[in-house]
Amino acid sequence: MDSLGQYEQQVVWTVVATDIGPLLLAATGTGLVNVVFHATDAVRDKSLGRLADRLGTTPVEAPGSPLLAEAIRQVEAYFAGERRTFELPLDWSLSSGFNRQVLRELASGVPFGAVVGYGDLASRVGQPGAAQAVGVAMGSNPLPVIVPCHRVVESDGGIGGFGGGLETKRKLLALEGVLPEPLF
């Protein structure tokens, strides 16, 4: 408890090495709350500052935390090709409204090795014609990889945009067998 007798939310984090570069994983007592691509020192520090502002507490580096252990294990297994689904408690507090609705549908309704168009995803949440809003939701996804925004593509077959960079999106889709592995 803090000095006012209120329970303070604990936020723990670590960085995990992956085939797409370092990923920052952050968790609360509720579940995994944030995944950040390309977690170099500068990116990590900026992300942790944003997390502190949004959640009202300073994240603590804790690679051995029980709150992170299962997330680390599942992320490592995914990149090793040994896991196709994530079964983790998620803390959705960094998204709300339409974005949260779209991200939850994506997490539950677009399996490993499949893709969905922005417009199709909008229709799935009852908002046909909201393809651009789906793009905004993908760009604000606080849990990339776990909530697989890399599986959302353009209806004309284009790969679409990606906050982690198009090369990262290509690698994730190749890992899932949607695209061929890059030659070099």
Side-chain angles (χ1 to χ4, degrees):
M1 277 197 269
D2 65 13
S3 61
L4 299 174
Q6 298 175 343
Y7 287 97
E8 198 173 297
Q9 175 169 267
Q10 181 184 20
V11 181
V12 294
W13 67 273
T14 192
V15 174
V16 177
T18 72
D19 293 347
I20 58 169
L23 289 180
L24 181 144
L25 304 179
T28 67
T30 302
L32 193 65
V33 71
N34 201 202
V35 175
V36 178
F37 290 115
H38 316 298
T40 60
D41 291 349
V43 169
R44 180 199 66 213
D45 292 346
K46 186 175 180 179
S47 298
L48 292 172
R50 278 195 310 260
L51 260 181
D53 290 345
R54 296 276 312 271
L55 299 177
T57 188
T58 302
V60 176
E61 184 174 15
S65 170
L67 297 176
L68 290 168
E70 186 60 19
I72 293 167
R73 189 184 72 70
Q74 289 188 30
V75 165
E76 288 174 343
Y78 171 81
F79 282 101
E82 299 165 358
R83 174 171 278 281
R84 292 176 166 233
T85 60
F86 292 99
E87 297 165 3
L88 297 168
L90 301 178
D91 180 336
W92 292 97
S93 63
L94 296 179
S95 64
S96 62
F98 178 79
N99 289 1
R100 183 184 292 187
Q101 183 182 12
V102 169
L103 293 171
R104 283 180 178 262
E105 173 59 31
L106 176 62
S108 66
V110 184
F112 182 97
V115 294
V116 65
Y118 293 93
D120 293 336
L121 192 51
S123 292
R124 287 186 186 193
V125 296
Q127 297 292 323
Q132 286 185 322
V134 167
V136 171
M138 295 305 101
S140 69
N141 180 4
L143 295 161
V145 180
I146 309 305
V147 177
C149 52
H150 59 277
R151 296 179 189 155
V152 183
V153 297
E154 295 174 348
S155 60
D156 66 3
I159 194 168
F162 195 62
L166 292 181
E167 187 57 31
T168 299
K169 186 171 187 173
R170 285 185 189 96
K171 286 180 180 179
L172 290 167
L173 291 172
L175 173 70
E176 295 189 8
V178 174
L179 293 176
E181 288 288 337
L183 296 175
F184 48 89

